[in-house]
Amino acid sequence: MSTATKDRFRPVKSILVSQPAPAGANSPYVQLAEKYNLKIDFRQFIKVEPVVPKEFRKQKIDILKHTAVIFTSRNAIDHFFAICKDFKIEMPADMKYFCISDQTAHYLQKYIVIRKRKLFVGQKTAQDLFDYFKKHKSEKYLFPCSDIRKDDIPEYMEKNGIAFTEAIIYHTLEADLSDLADVKYDILAFFSPSGIKSLKINFPDFEQGNTRIAAFGPTTAQAVRDLDLILDIEAPMPNAPSMTGALELYIKKANNL
């Protein structure tokens, strides 16, 4: 829980999650909805557009001059291999891959045959990869990313004198949310500053009122505060490492359970 005060704990019946709907019935969101009889909807607040070959060429990046690639999302994987296909680039068998999470690493198998000795996987955050970068300091890293990204990896690489190239391979844009103008939810859950920015652009006159806001990660939380909005639910926390865990703690209190 973050800046929430006692009068912010009103009963919760509906939640809008600013991410794509999860696949499968085992999603923790499905379980949360069933357990507390909630209406949980999913809607991406941002969209991505690929960098076209002409635009990528202007960056003057030679992919094959690198010995390692850093992936922090599925979007990065998809757009990176789309670029490789456009330029008829085949990744060498000895290329090393550093993935931010197990989910990202698993998704990578869509494009390559994973060799255990060439794959390094974090638990969830970029910081999880820093020890790997330190142990493999001599690699020449390529960091495929969006034009909007966190600073943690570039700052770490520069601070520690590790060779890396940032490759902008897709753009992050706000989605059109005009159909939500008259729809109200008790909680809006955000996972990136881009999602908060999209809320502001789509609804410049947004008034929070009794709508609770949940944020995952410190940069998302700060983006909420920067707009002078009330941050009611913050994750990860020691007692709630996931968004669903943080939501459940809040719901138990707000719904007197």
Side-chain angles (χ1 to χ4, degrees), residues 143-155:
F143 179 33
C145 60
S146 166
D147 55 336
I148 299 176
R149 51 98 179 117
K150 295 180 180 179
D151 296 329
D152 39 14
I153 289 177
E155 286 180 354

Side-chain angles (χ1 to χ4, degrees), residues 4 38 41 152 170 172 200 223 230 247:
L38 304 171
D41 293 334
D152 39 14
Y170 64 100
T172 302
K200 184 65 176 176
I230 298 171
L247 288 170

Side-chain angles (χ1 to χ4, degrees), residues 1 46-47 59 73 78 81-82 99 129-130 151 163 219 224 227:
M1 239 61 68
I46 58 174
K47 63 179 181 179
Q59 297 182 57
S73 70
D78 283 335
F81 284 99
C99 295
L129 295 174
F130 290 172
D151 296 329
T219 57
V224 174
L227 289 182

Side-chain angles (χ1 to χ4, degrees), residues 15-17 45 185-190 199 206 211-215:
I15 302 172
L16 180 62
V17 179
F45 274 46
Y185 289 89
D186 295 320
I187 296 177
L188 302 178
F190 293 95
L199 174 71
F206 174 76
T211 300
R212 273 61 52 88
I213 291 180

Side-chain angles (χ1 to χ4, degrees), residues 4 7 10 12 21 30 38 57 98 100 102 108 123 129 136 150 157 159 174 187 192 202 228 234 238 241 249:
D7 62 346
R10 298 169 182 268
V12 175
V30 173
L38 304 171
R57 196 176 285 113
F98 293 75
I100 198 167
D102 282 329
L108 183 58
Q123 293 183 337
L129 295 174
H136 299 270
K150 295 180 180 179
M157 296 305 211
K159 182 180 178 181
E174 61 276 0
I187 296 177
S192 71
N202 275 277
D228 293 325
E234 188 172 357
L249 286 178

Side-chain angles (χ1 to χ4, degrees), residues 102-148:
D102 282 329
Q103 291 88 347
T104 307
H106 182 74
Y107 191 72
L108 183 58
Q109 296 181 67
K110 179 178 176 182
Y111 295 97
I112 64 167
V113 176
I114 290 181
R115 293 172 173 80
K116 204 168 185 179
R117 59 192 174 85
K118 302 297 181 185
L119 182 67
F120 305 89
V121 184
Q123 293 183 337
K124 190 172 286 187
T125 68
Q127 286 77 11
D128 298 332
L129 295 174
F130 290 172
D131 283 342
Y132 288 130
F133 295 156
K134 193 173 182 179
K135 291 176 184 176
H136 299 270
K137 200 171 182 178
S138 62
E139 302 294 341
K140 294 179 181 178
Y141 291 89
L142 181 65
F143 179 33
C145 60
S146 166
D147 55 336
I148 299 176

Side-chain angles (χ1 to χ4, degrees), residues 3-245:
T3 55
T5 53
K6 188 176 181 180
D7 62 346
R8 299 289 297 170
F9 286 95
R10 298 169 182 268
V12 175
K13 295 181 180 179
S14 61
I15 302 172
L16 180 62
V17 179
S18 60
Q19 284 189 330
N26 292 326
S27 163
Y29 288 104
V30 173
Q31 296 170 13
L32 188 69
E34 291 176 349
K35 186 175 181 179
Y36 297 102
N37 192 28
L38 304 171
K39 177 181 187 289
I40 300 183
D41 293 334
F42 299 86
R43 179 67 178 274
Q44 277 191 291
F45 274 46
I46 58 174
K47 63 179 181 179
V48 298
E49 291 185 355
V51 165
V52 298
K54 183 179 180 181
E55 187 180 353
F56 182 77
R57 196 176 285 113
K58 289 180 181 178
Q59 297 182 57
K60 298 180 179 178
I61 295 171
D62 187 341
I63 291 175
L64 294 180
K65 281 192 175 179
H66 298 81
T67 59
V69 185
I70 304 166
F71 287 123
T72 57
S73 70
R74 293 183 179 187
N75 276 325
I77 292 172
D78 283 335
H79 289 90
F80 174 75
F81 284 99
I83 288 286
C84 290
K85 184 178 180 180
D86 286 334
F87 287 94
K88 296 180 171 59
I89 295 171
E90 187 173 336
M91 301 303 286
D94 60 349
M95 182 68 76
K96 294 184 176 69
Y97 299 93
F98 293 75
C99 295
I100 198 167
S101 66
D102 282 329
Q103 291 88 347
T104 307
H106 182 74
Y107 191 72
L108 183 58
Q109 296 181 67
K110 179 178 176 182
Y111 295 97
I112 64 167
V113 176
I114 290 181
R115 293 172 173 80
K116 204 168 185 179
R117 59 192 174 85
K118 302 297 181 185
L119 182 67
F120 305 89
V121 184
Q123 293 183 337
K124 190 172 286 187
T125 68
Q127 286 77 11
D128 298 332
L129 295 174
F130 290 172
D131 283 342
Y132 288 130
F133 295 156
K134 193 173 182 179
K135 291 176 184 176
H136 299 270
K137 200 171 182 178
S138 62
E139 302 294 341
K140 294 179 181 178
Y141 291 89
L142 181 65
F143 179 33
C145 60
S146 166
D147 55 336
I148 299 176
R149 51 98 179 117
K150 295 180 180 179
D151 296 329
D152 39 14
I153 289 177
E155 286 180 354
Y156 180 85
M157 296 305 211
E158 290 172 2
K159 182 180 178 181
N160 290 276
I162 300 174
F164 85 104
T165 304
E166 183 177 323
I168 306 299
I169 56 169
Y170 64 100
H171 299 294
T172 302
L173 307 168
E174 61 276 0
D176 180 3
L177 305 174
S178 56
D179 58 305
L180 294 178
D182 298 319
V183 182
K184 304 296 182 184
Y185 289 89
D186 295 320
I187 296 177
L188 302 178
F190 293 95
F191 298 82
S192 71
S194 299
I196 300 296
K197 179 184 176 184
S198 179
L199 174 71
K200 184 65 176 176
I201 289 174
N202 275 277
F203 309 109
D205 299 321
F206 174 76
E207 293 184 6
Q208 185 171 358
N210 291 328
T211 300
R212 273 61 52 88
I213 291 180
F216 189 89
T219 57
T220 310
Q222 188 57 49
V224 174
R225 298 186 182 104
D226 288 345
L227 289 182
D228 293 325
L229 297 171
I230 298 171
L231 179 60
D232 299 281
I233 304 160
E234 188 172 357
M237 300 292 275
N239 58 342
S242 66
M243 175 61 86
T244 48

